[in-house]
Each structure stands twice: as structure tokens, then as C-alpha cells.
Amino acid sequence: MGKGCITVTKYFLFLFNLLFFVFGALIMGFGLWVLFDNQSFIAVLQESSDTVKVASYILIGVGSLSMAMGFFGCIGAIYEVRCLLGLYFTCLLLILIAQVTAGVLIYFQRDRLKNEMSNIIKGMIINYTGENRTTEHTWDYIQRTMKCCGWTGPGNWSENNLIKNSSQNLYSCSCRNEDLPGTEIKEVGLCEHLSADLPIHETGCMTSVEKWLLDNCGVILGICIGVAVIELLGMILSMCLCQSVVQEDYTKVPKY
């Protein structure tokens, strides 16, 4: 490989690793959002399922590792250290295999995950009191913003312990359809209505959530494919540069 090609490869690999560092920061940030966010649908699952918590920790770990790899990859590219380039290639290969494996598992376990999600939401609705400021208030926020009621429909709320044991016509305040006449509008808790015809939305939130996922499916797939392509390019460039380096020279590594 000519000297000019080596230089071009070296700086392309450096730019690639800079992008990889940024992607790692984004992945870690997404993991932190999943772990600490309390104003979205994720918060409802995160409070009720250890699976989501574990997934958030995995995302944080993968993001941190990606940032570290990007940093060391930059050093290996600029200073042409073969051991760092070889280690970088191996780590990229392992991460790519792990990502493909995770994607295959999620695809084949999608029905199980969907059932688990349904059980979590229905269980939360049954035990709803309106006093939990994390899970319950987040679910109220989802029903208000998505203009839906219950998971599969408003009938889920008939299983709520407080509504079932009450002689009043109670309903979830966040299910309130503002276009229908009724009592004052409240954001959380249970509301009373004098008539048996409750002023609520008739659409279940499962439909709204699935629609949101379908609408954003292209973006999610695009990000996954983009990350995979960048990883493959990084592997190719690192191997090309590694083969062009005749001898390891550790004196090139910067000393701090």
C-alpha cells in the first residue's frame, strides 16, 4: 500500500472513530434516558419490569465501551499502533455479533415481549390509585397526550380495584374526552360522572403505541443499519492500516 493511501486510510479511520465516539455517547445517553425518564411510556415499563432496567444498563455499558473504543481507535490510527488496531478490530467484531444476536432474539421473542408489556400495563391499571407519581402519573400523561383509554380499551378500567368496589360512576380522569360534556377536567386520579355514559376516549392505548412504533420504525431501522455499516467500515479500515504497519513502534504512543 502506498504512503499516500496509508495516510488517507489513517485519517479516514480517525474520522470514523470520532463518529464512533459520538455514536457511543448517543447510545449511553439513550440508556440514561430510559433509566431516568419519568414522562414517557418507557417509565411505566421501567418501574414495573426488571427487563427494561437491565436493558438500560446494557445500553449504558455498550455506549461507554463504544466511547472508549473510539478514543483508543483514534490513538491507534494516528500513531499506527498495531496492537491497538488489532484490539479495536476484535472489539468491533464482537460488538457487531452481539448486536445481530440481540436483534434476532428480539425478533423471535416479540410476542412474548408484547404479552409481558400487556400484563404490566393491565396490572398497573388494576392497582391504580392515582398517588404513585412515577408509574401512574406517567400513564396518565400517556392517556392524555395520546387521547386513549386503557391498554386494549376503556374496559380495562372496570377491573380497577377502586372503581370495582365503588357505588359511584368513576373513571380515569386522564381518559377524559374534552369534546364530550362532563365534570371538571383533571389530569390524574379518578373522576366521578353522574351519568353511566362516561365522557372518555374509546380507543385503547395499545393501538396508539403500536402506531407510534410503526411511524418511527423507519428511523429506528435506519439508525441500526447506519451503525452496522459504520462498524463494518471501521473493521475494514483498521485491518488495512494494521497490515500496512510494518513494525509496532510504541514510542509513537503519546505520553501523559
Side-chain angles (χ1 to χ4, degrees):
M1 187 182 291
K3 186 176 179 180
C5 292
I6 294 175
T7 302
V8 171
T9 302
K10 181 168 65 174
Y11 285 103
F12 262 114
L13 188 58
F14 174 81
L15 291 175
F16 163 79
N17 281 288
L18 187 61
L19 289 175
F20 201 71
F21 181 87
V22 173
F23 273 117
L26 291 175
I27 292 172
M28 186 176 69
F30 181 72
L32 291 171
W33 172 72
V34 171
L35 187 63
F36 294 110
D37 180 68
N38 61 357
Q39 288 295 324
S40 70
F41 181 71
I42 294 294
V44 178
L45 301 180
Q46 194 265 349
E47 279 288 319
S48 308
S49 175
D50 292 333
T51 304
V52 179
K53 294 180 181 179
V54 172
S56 64
Y57 289 127
I58 291 175
L59 287 171
I60 293 171
V62 170
S64 302
L65 178 62
S66 299
M67 291 176 67
M69 284 178 56
F71 176 75
F72 289 114
C74 287
I75 294 178
I78 291 298
Y79 296 97
E80 300 179 13
V81 182
R82 292 190 71 182
C83 68
L84 286 180
L85 291 172
L87 179 63
Y88 174 75
F89 174 86
T90 303
C91 290
L92 267 184
L93 180 61
L94 292 175
I95 288 178
L96 186 60
I97 292 173
Q99 288 173 340
V100 172
T101 303
V104 171
L105 288 175
I106 290 174
Y107 177 79
F108 285 105
Q109 296 291 323
R110 62 188 185 279
D111 291 334
R112 179 181 175 183
L113 293 173
K114 185 177 180 179
N115 291 332
E116 181 183 358
M117 184 187 300
S118 297
N119 292 333
I120 290 171
I121 302 301
K122 289 177 181 178
M124 185 273 299
I125 290 176
I126 290 173
N127 298 303
Y128 179 92
T129 61
E131 298 177 356
N132 188 325
R133 290 188 171 274
T134 52
T135 306
E136 295 180 354
H137 285 200
T138 300
W139 180 247
D140 285 323
Y141 174 80
I142 293 168
Q143 290 191 140
R144 287 197 312 272
T145 55
M146 291 190 171
K147 296 183 178 180
C148 56
C149 188
W151 180 240
T152 57
N156 294 140
W157 282 101
S158 63
E159 299 297 321
N160 176 265
N161 293 327
L162 295 178
I163 294 177
K164 188 189 299 183
N165 297 320
S166 175
S167 58
Q168 301 171 320
N169 291 324
L170 298 178
Y171 66 95
S172 172
C173 298
S174 56
C175 283
R176 173 68 188 277
N177 187 341
E178 298 181 10
D179 296 330
L180 298 176
T183 55
E184 62 176 335
I185 299 173
K186 295 169 61 177
E187 293 188 346
V188 297
L190 299 176
C191 294
E192 180 184 2
H193 191 59
L194 300 179
S195 171
D197 296 327
L198 303 178
I200 59 177
H201 294 287
E202 297 297 330
T203 305
C205 292
M206 180 176 67
T207 304
S208 300
V209 171
E210 289 179 345
K211 183 178 182 301
W212 181 88
L213 290 174
L214 288 174
D215 291 342
N216 293 275
C217 184
V219 176
I220 296 172
L221 288 177
I223 292 174
C224 293
I225 293 173
V227 170
V229 169
I230 289 176
E231 289 171 348
L232 286 173
L233 286 174
M235 292 168 62
I236 294 171
L237 290 174
S238 63
M239 285 306 298
C240 290
L241 185 59
C242 189
Q243 290 177 353
S244 68
V245 177
V246 179
Q247 180 180 351
E248 293 182 357
D249 186 1
Y250 292 99
T251 60
K252 293 182 178 182
V253 180
K255 298 178 177 58
Y256 299 99

